Amino acid sequence: MTQVSVYEAKTHLSRLLRRVRHGEEIVISVSGRPVARLVPVAAADGPRVLGGDEGLVWEAKDFNAPLPPEILDAFYAGATEARSGERRARQQIRRRR
């Protein structure tokens, strides 16, 4: 394991990466204190296989069905109240002018 300063790491990053690619581990230090390690990335296990989660994910039969009226009312009631509050605020501003 080799230790280099931040200045050396910035100046010679390409060289350090070449060494890491060949399996060496490099520690970067600030004022002599280790703060980071450059290590080679583990090789992938191979190509990714599609469909690995088959059977784990499902879609409910009523996924695209319309929402029940009580839920729709809750959505639109909040929007209507917010809009009416905005209207009141605008009206008050106009009155002040």
Side-chain angles (χ1 to χ4, degrees), residues 4-95:
V4 297
S5 68
V6 173
Y7 175 78
E8 287 178 275
K10 288 181 356 183
T11 306
H12 304 291
L13 183 60
S14 296
R15 291 181 197 169
L16 294 174
L17 289 176
R18 244 181 270 125
R19 289 167 58 182
V20 167
R21 206 176 300 135
H22 287 48
E24 189 175 342
E25 186 175 306
I26 298 175
V27 175
I28 301 173
S29 62
V30 175
S31 301
R33 301 173 99 182
V35 293
R37 277 188 304 162
L38 286 176
V39 295
V41 176
D45 295 338
R48 293 174 57 180
V49 178
L50 297 177
D53 289 336
E54 196 170 322
L56 298 176
V57 179
W58 55 273
E59 183 179 301
K61 291 178 183 174
D62 63 346
F63 179 77
N64 286 322
L67 292 172
E70 58 273 6
I71 294 178
L72 286 173
D73 290 345
F75 275 108
Y76 290 116
T80 305
E81 291 169 10
R83 284 192 206 115
S84 63
E86 289 172 7
R87 277 190 217 116
R88 274 187 249 124
R90 277 193 228 113
Q91 288 172 351
Q92 289 176 350
I93 292 171
R94 287 186 196 131
R95 285 184 205 142

